[in-house]
Amino acid sequence: MPRRAVARWMVPLAVLVCLWECGADRYTAKTLRRYLKEAIAEALLEHRSEFLPPETAPTTSQCGCPKQFVPCAGRCYRRLSPAVTYEQAEQACAQINSHLAVPRTRDENLCAAGLARNRHIWLGITDQLTEGVFVDIFGRSVTEELTQVWSASQPDNYNGTEDCVEIWPENAFNLGSKFAEWNDKHCSELGYPMCQLA
């Protein structure tokens, strides 16, 4: 099927998906735009190889990321499902030759948060070795490089048991958290693995 013919049916299809998914909120422009972007991105990711002749279908994206990874801010990311514990998230990323995301710039943090789709996602950052000293999976300090990422009153080490770091959803638990903010969380709770290639 020619590329233009596919593009002609993708947009109306995405709009229909938006209207279906948005329910009573379907006329809110912001919600429609968000669902439209997600629907188009998912359709393009899933059907990308259909746009290319079979002999040239890539195993990596045009930006050098393997299939199923999304390029953003110079990194390759992939959010996995289902939600799992921190240790399980580390193992899941290792199985696809990656590690839990470690945002080192504002743009990388925004990428990880955007790909989270307003879900709790694990980052490759903990203070398990020394309370209050947050390091990445390589033992490097993280918060010195990236400031203003913690949500208000975080990290709080609630009940003395929170050692793993997540990006939590906007307004999580009605606490007023903002987009892309971090929270320290008990490592045995559930979150989605956000995997990153080196």
PDB file of all heavy atoms in Angstrom, residues 10 14 33-48 51 69-70 115 117:
ATOM      1  N   MET A  10      -4.707   6.734   8.503  1.00  0.00           N
ATOM      2  CA  MET A  10      -4.197   6.728   9.873  1.00  0.00           C
ATOM      3  C   MET A  10      -4.756   7.878  10.704  1.00  0.00           C
ATOM      4  O   MET A  10      -5.099   7.694  11.864  1.00  0.00           O
ATOM      5  CB  MET A  10      -2.670   6.774   9.868  1.00  0.00           C
ATOM      6  CG  MET A  10      -2.043   5.447   9.510  1.00  0.00           C
ATOM      7  SD  MET A  10      -0.261   5.499   9.516  1.00  0.00           S
ATOM      8  CE  MET A  10       0.075   5.826  11.229  1.00  0.00           C
ATOM      9  N   ALA A  14      -6.940   7.518  13.978  1.00  0.00           N
ATOM     10  CA  ALA A  14      -6.460   8.036  15.253  1.00  0.00           C
ATOM     11  C   ALA A  14      -7.508   8.925  15.918  1.00  0.00           C
ATOM     12  O   ALA A  14      -7.706   8.881  17.129  1.00  0.00           O
ATOM     13  CB  ALA A  14      -5.157   8.814  15.051  1.00  0.00           C
ATOM     14  N   ARG A  33      -5.513  15.885  21.685  1.00  0.00           N
ATOM     15  CA  ARG A  33      -4.154  15.954  21.147  1.00  0.00           C
ATOM     16  C   ARG A  33      -3.281  14.859  21.733  1.00  0.00           C
ATOM     17  O   ARG A  33      -2.511  14.213  21.018  1.00  0.00           O
ATOM     18  CB  ARG A  33      -3.545  17.326  21.432  1.00  0.00           C
ATOM     19  CG  ARG A  33      -3.889  18.370  20.403  1.00  0.00           C
ATOM     20  CD  ARG A  33      -2.989  19.589  20.521  1.00  0.00           C
ATOM     21  NE  ARG A  33      -2.989  20.202  21.829  1.00  0.00           N
ATOM     22  CZ  ARG A  33      -3.856  21.124  22.235  1.00  0.00           C
ATOM     23  NH1 ARG A  33      -4.796  21.550  21.427  1.00  0.00           N
ATOM     24  NH2 ARG A  33      -3.782  21.612  23.449  1.00  0.00           N
ATOM     25  N   ARG A  34      -3.389  14.648  23.051  1.00  0.00           N
ATOM     26  CA  ARG A  34      -2.564  13.632  23.695  1.00  0.00           C
ATOM     27  C   ARG A  34      -2.877  12.248  23.133  1.00  0.00           C
ATOM     28  O   ARG A  34      -1.979  11.498  22.762  1.00  0.00           O
ATOM     29  CB  ARG A  34      -2.783  13.661  25.211  1.00  0.00           C
ATOM     30  CG  ARG A  34      -1.832  12.699  25.931  1.00  0.00           C
ATOM     31  CD  ARG A  34      -1.984  12.719  27.436  1.00  0.00           C
ATOM     32  NE  ARG A  34      -3.200  12.010  27.807  1.00  0.00           N
ATOM     33  CZ  ARG A  34      -4.155  12.502  28.582  1.00  0.00           C
ATOM     34  NH1 ARG A  34      -4.057  13.690  29.084  1.00  0.00           N
ATOM     35  NH2 ARG A  34      -5.220  11.793  28.868  1.00  0.00           N
ATOM     36  N   TYR A  35      -4.169  11.894  23.059  1.00  0.00           N
ATOM     37  CA  TYR A  35      -4.531  10.584  22.538  1.00  0.00           C
ATOM     38  C   TYR A  35      -4.166  10.444  21.062  1.00  0.00           C
ATOM     39  O   TYR A  35      -3.749   9.386  20.615  1.00  0.00           O
ATOM     40  CB  TYR A  35      -6.025  10.307  22.743  1.00  0.00           C
ATOM     41  CG  TYR A  35      -6.334   9.849  24.145  1.00  0.00           C
ATOM     42  CD1 TYR A  35      -7.061  10.646  25.009  1.00  0.00           C
ATOM     43  CD2 TYR A  35      -5.900   8.614  24.605  1.00  0.00           C
ATOM     44  CE1 TYR A  35      -7.343  10.235  26.310  1.00  0.00           C
ATOM     45  CE2 TYR A  35      -6.173   8.205  25.898  1.00  0.00           C
ATOM     46  CZ  TYR A  35      -6.899   9.011  26.746  1.00  0.00           C
ATOM     47  OH  TYR A  35      -7.164   8.606  28.013  1.00  0.00           O
ATOM     48  N   LEU A  36      -4.307  11.505  20.300  1.00  0.00           N
ATOM     49  CA  LEU A  36      -3.959  11.476  18.889  1.00  0.00           C
ATOM     50  C   LEU A  36      -2.468  11.211  18.714  1.00  0.00           C
ATOM     51  O   LEU A  36      -2.068  10.352  17.925  1.00  0.00           O
ATOM     52  CB  LEU A  36      -4.352  12.794  18.220  1.00  0.00           C
ATOM     53  CG  LEU A  36      -4.141  12.888  16.716  1.00  0.00           C
ATOM     54  CD1 LEU A  36      -4.922  11.807  15.984  1.00  0.00           C
ATOM     55  CD2 LEU A  36      -4.574  14.256  16.215  1.00  0.00           C
ATOM     56  N   LYS A  37      -1.641  11.920  19.488  1.00  0.00           N
ATOM     57  CA  LYS A  37      -0.188  11.697  19.420  1.00  0.00           C
ATOM     58  C   LYS A  37       0.149  10.256  19.779  1.00  0.00           C
ATOM     59  O   LYS A  37       0.960   9.612  19.117  1.00  0.00           O
ATOM     60  CB  LYS A  37       0.539  12.640  20.378  1.00  0.00           C
ATOM     61  CG  LYS A  37       0.712  14.029  19.861  1.00  0.00           C
ATOM     62  CD  LYS A  37       1.485  14.849  20.888  1.00  0.00           C
ATOM     63  CE  LYS A  37       1.666  16.273  20.449  1.00  0.00           C
ATOM     64  NZ  LYS A  37       2.350  17.077  21.470  1.00  0.00           N
ATOM     65  N   GLU A  38      -0.441   9.749  20.861  1.00  0.00           N
ATOM     66  CA  GLU A  38      -0.151   8.387  21.297  1.00  0.00           C
ATOM     67  C   GLU A  38      -0.590   7.372  20.240  1.00  0.00           C
ATOM     68  O   GLU A  38       0.149   6.440  19.925  1.00  0.00           O
ATOM     69  CB  GLU A  38      -0.842   8.091  22.629  1.00  0.00           C
ATOM     70  CG  GLU A  38      -0.228   8.801  23.802  1.00  0.00           C
ATOM     71  CD  GLU A  38      -0.980   8.554  25.106  1.00  0.00           C
ATOM     72  OE1 GLU A  38      -1.881   7.681  25.139  1.00  0.00           O
ATOM     73  OE2 GLU A  38      -0.668   9.235  26.094  1.00  0.00           O
ATOM     74  N   ALA A  39      -1.792   7.558  19.686  1.00  0.00           N
ATOM     75  CA  ALA A  39      -2.311   6.607  18.693  1.00  0.00           C
ATOM     76  C   ALA A  39      -1.450   6.601  17.444  1.00  0.00           C
ATOM     77  O   ALA A  39      -1.122   5.534  16.903  1.00  0.00           O
ATOM     78  CB  ALA A  39      -3.761   6.948  18.342  1.00  0.00           C
ATOM     79  N   ILE A  40      -1.055   7.773  16.975  1.00  0.00           N
ATOM     80  CA  ILE A  40      -0.220   7.843  15.779  1.00  0.00           C
ATOM     81  C   ILE A  40       1.154   7.249  16.057  1.00  0.00           C
ATOM     82  O   ILE A  40       1.680   6.473  15.254  1.00  0.00           O
ATOM     83  CB  ILE A  40      -0.115   9.297  15.273  1.00  0.00           C
ATOM     84  CG1 ILE A  40      -1.467   9.723  14.687  1.00  0.00           C
ATOM     85  CG2 ILE A  40       0.986   9.435  14.224  1.00  0.00           C
ATOM     86  CD1 ILE A  40      -1.540  11.178  14.316  1.00  0.00           C
ATOM     87  N   ALA A  41       1.752   7.578  17.205  1.00  0.00           N
ATOM     88  CA  ALA A  41       3.070   7.050  17.541  1.00  0.00           C
ATOM     89  C   ALA A  41       3.045   5.529  17.624  1.00  0.00           C
ATOM     90  O   ALA A  41       3.933   4.845  17.114  1.00  0.00           O
ATOM     91  CB  ALA A  41       3.563   7.653  18.856  1.00  0.00           C
ATOM     92  N   GLU A  42       2.012   4.976  18.279  1.00  0.00           N
ATOM     93  CA  GLU A  42       1.909   3.524  18.389  1.00  0.00           C
ATOM     94  C   GLU A  42       1.699   2.872  17.029  1.00  0.00           C
ATOM     95  O   GLU A  42       2.314   1.854  16.715  1.00  0.00           O
ATOM     96  CB  GLU A  42       0.779   3.143  19.344  1.00  0.00           C
ATOM     97  CG  GLU A  42       1.113   3.418  20.795  1.00  0.00           C
ATOM     98  CD  GLU A  42      -0.055   3.131  21.731  1.00  0.00           C
ATOM     99  OE1 GLU A  42      -1.033   2.468  21.315  1.00  0.00           O
ATOM    100  OE2 GLU A  42       0.025   3.575  22.895  1.00  0.00           O
ATOM    101  N   ALA A  43       0.859   3.479  16.184  1.00  0.00           N
ATOM    102  CA  ALA A  43       0.605   2.930  14.853  1.00  0.00           C
ATOM    103  C   ALA A  43       1.871   2.967  14.002  1.00  0.00           C
ATOM    104  O   ALA A  43       2.200   1.997  13.313  1.00  0.00           O
ATOM    105  CB  ALA A  43      -0.523   3.692  14.161  1.00  0.00           C
ATOM    106  N   LEU A  44       2.591   4.072  14.067  1.00  0.00           N
ATOM    107  CA  LEU A  44       3.830   4.173  13.288  1.00  0.00           C
ATOM    108  C   LEU A  44       4.872   3.184  13.781  1.00  0.00           C
ATOM    109  O   LEU A  44       5.564   2.555  12.976  1.00  0.00           O
ATOM    110  CB  LEU A  44       4.382   5.597  13.350  1.00  0.00           C
ATOM    111  CG  LEU A  44       3.622   6.636  12.535  1.00  0.00           C
ATOM    112  CD1 LEU A  44       4.166   8.025  12.811  1.00  0.00           C
ATOM    113  CD2 LEU A  44       3.692   6.323  11.052  1.00  0.00           C
ATOM    114  N   LEU A  45       4.991   3.046  15.097  1.00  0.00           N
ATOM    115  CA  LEU A  45       5.960   2.109  15.645  1.00  0.00           C
ATOM    116  C   LEU A  45       5.617   0.679  15.242  1.00  0.00           C
ATOM    117  O   LEU A  45       6.478  -0.088  14.824  1.00  0.00           O
ATOM    118  CB  LEU A  45       6.003   2.236  17.172  1.00  0.00           C
ATOM    119  CG  LEU A  45       7.075   1.440  17.885  1.00  0.00           C
ATOM    120  CD1 LEU A  45       8.463   1.901  17.451  1.00  0.00           C
ATOM    121  CD2 LEU A  45       6.937   1.620  19.388  1.00  0.00           C
ATOM    122  N   GLU A  46       4.334   0.330  15.328  1.00  0.00           N
ATOM    123  CA  GLU A  46       3.902  -1.026  15.020  1.00  0.00           C
ATOM    124  C   GLU A  46       3.987  -1.344  13.529  1.00  0.00           C
ATOM    125  O   GLU A  46       4.323  -2.449  13.141  1.00  0.00           O
ATOM    126  CB  GLU A  46       2.471  -1.236  15.513  1.00  0.00           C
ATOM    127  CG  GLU A  46       1.993  -2.673  15.340  1.00  0.00           C
ATOM    128  CD  GLU A  46       0.614  -2.872  15.954  1.00  0.00           C
ATOM    129  OE1 GLU A  46       0.226  -2.092  16.846  1.00  0.00           O
ATOM    130  OE2 GLU A  46      -0.054  -3.811  15.526  1.00  0.00           O
ATOM    131  N   HIS A  47       3.690  -0.362  12.679  1.00  0.00           N
ATOM    132  CA  HIS A  47       3.594  -0.628  11.242  1.00  0.00           C
ATOM    133  C   HIS A  47       4.714   0.005  10.431  1.00  0.00           C
ATOM    134  O   HIS A  47       4.628   0.069   9.210  1.00  0.00           O
ATOM    135  CB  HIS A  47       2.239  -0.133  10.721  1.00  0.00           C
ATOM    136  CG  HIS A  47       1.090  -0.823  11.371  1.00  0.00           C
ATOM    137  ND1 HIS A  47       0.762  -2.138  11.110  1.00  0.00           N
ATOM    138  CD2 HIS A  47       0.220  -0.396  12.326  1.00  0.00           C
ATOM    139  CE1 HIS A  47      -0.281  -2.485  11.853  1.00  0.00           C
ATOM    140  NE2 HIS A  47      -0.624  -1.460  12.599  1.00  0.00           N
ATOM    141  N   ARG A  48       5.775   0.446  11.088  1.00  0.00           N
ATOM    142  CA  ARG A  48       6.876   1.117  10.411  1.00  0.00           C
ATOM    143  C   ARG A  48       7.441   0.292   9.263  1.00  0.00           C
ATOM    144  O   ARG A  48       7.699   0.800   8.191  1.00  0.00           O
ATOM    145  CB  ARG A  48       7.969   1.451  11.416  1.00  0.00           C
ATOM    146  CG  ARG A  48       9.191   2.085  10.806  1.00  0.00           C
ATOM    147  CD  ARG A  48      10.231   2.422  11.852  1.00  0.00           C
ATOM    148  NE  ARG A  48      10.538   1.264  12.647  1.00  0.00           N
ATOM    149  CZ  ARG A  48      10.878   1.312  13.919  1.00  0.00           C
ATOM    150  NH1 ARG A  48      10.978   2.449  14.522  1.00  0.00           N
ATOM    151  NH2 ARG A  48      11.141   0.216  14.585  1.00  0.00           N
ATOM    152  N   PHE A  51       5.998   0.455   5.688  1.00  0.00           N
ATOM    153  CA  PHE A  51       6.253   1.599   4.824  1.00  0.00           C
ATOM    154  C   PHE A  51       7.513   1.410   3.981  1.00  0.00           C
ATOM    155  O   PHE A  51       7.771   2.171   3.073  1.00  0.00           O
ATOM    156  CB  PHE A  51       6.403   2.889   5.648  1.00  0.00           C
ATOM    157  CG  PHE A  51       5.154   3.269   6.380  1.00  0.00           C
ATOM    158  CD1 PHE A  51       5.115   3.273   7.754  1.00  0.00           C
ATOM    159  CD2 PHE A  51       4.010   3.615   5.684  1.00  0.00           C
ATOM    160  CE1 PHE A  51       3.960   3.621   8.431  1.00  0.00           C
ATOM    161  CE2 PHE A  51       2.847   3.960   6.361  1.00  0.00           C
ATOM    162  CZ  PHE A  51       2.826   3.965   7.735  1.00  0.00           C
ATOM    163  N   PHE A  69      12.465   0.406  20.963  1.00  0.00           N
ATOM    164  CA  PHE A  69      13.010   1.478  21.784  1.00  0.00           C
ATOM    165  C   PHE A  69      12.675   2.795  21.096  1.00  0.00           C
ATOM    166  O   PHE A  69      12.620   2.866  19.876  1.00  0.00           O
ATOM    167  CB  PHE A  69      14.528   1.348  21.945  1.00  0.00           C
ATOM    168  CG  PHE A  69      14.943   0.370  23.003  1.00  0.00           C
ATOM    169  CD1 PHE A  69      15.004  -0.979  22.730  1.00  0.00           C
ATOM    170  CD2 PHE A  69      15.285   0.803  24.278  1.00  0.00           C
ATOM    171  CE1 PHE A  69      15.384  -1.884  23.701  1.00  0.00           C
ATOM    172  CE2 PHE A  69      15.671  -0.096  25.256  1.00  0.00           C
ATOM    173  CZ  PHE A  69      15.718  -1.447  24.966  1.00  0.00           C
ATOM    174  N   VAL A  70      12.458   3.818  21.897  1.00  0.00           N
ATOM    175  CA  VAL A  70      12.081   5.124  21.363  1.00  0.00           C
ATOM    176  C   VAL A  70      13.255   6.082  21.554  1.00  0.00           C
ATOM    177  O   VAL A  70      13.756   6.224  22.674  1.00  0.00           O
ATOM    178  CB  VAL A  70      10.834   5.665  22.102  1.00  0.00           C
ATOM    179  CG1 VAL A  70      10.486   7.059  21.633  1.00  0.00           C
ATOM    180  CG2 VAL A  70       9.668   4.715  21.934  1.00  0.00           C
ATOM    181  N   LEU A 115       7.366   9.252  28.289  1.00  0.00           N
ATOM    182  CA  LEU A 115       7.153   7.871  27.852  1.00  0.00           C
ATOM    183  C   LEU A 115       6.466   7.034  28.931  1.00  0.00           C
ATOM    184  O   LEU A 115       5.937   5.962  28.647  1.00  0.00           O
ATOM    185  CB  LEU A 115       8.488   7.237  27.455  1.00  0.00           C
ATOM    186  CG  LEU A 115       9.146   7.872  26.227  1.00  0.00           C
ATOM    187  CD1 LEU A 115      10.575   7.384  26.071  1.00  0.00           C
ATOM    188  CD2 LEU A 115       8.339   7.575  24.973  1.00  0.00           C
ATOM    189  N   ARG A 117       3.772   7.796  30.356  1.00  0.00           N
ATOM    190  CA  ARG A 117       2.328   7.933  30.145  1.00  0.00           C
ATOM    191  C   ARG A 117       1.566   8.021  31.457  1.00  0.00           C
ATOM    192  O   ARG A 117       0.573   7.336  31.676  1.00  0.00           O
ATOM    193  CB  ARG A 117       1.800   6.804  29.285  1.00  0.00           C
ATOM    194  CG  ARG A 117       2.362   6.849  27.888  1.00  0.00           C
ATOM    195  CD  ARG A 117       1.659   5.884  27.012  1.00  0.00           C
ATOM    196  NE  ARG A 117       2.243   5.944  25.685  1.00  0.00           N
ATOM    197  CZ  ARG A 117       2.090   5.018  24.793  1.00  0.00           C
ATOM    198  NH1 ARG A 117       1.371   3.951  25.068  1.00  0.00           N
ATOM    199  NH2 ARG A 117       2.641   5.127  23.607  1.00  0.00           N
TER     200      ARG A 117
END
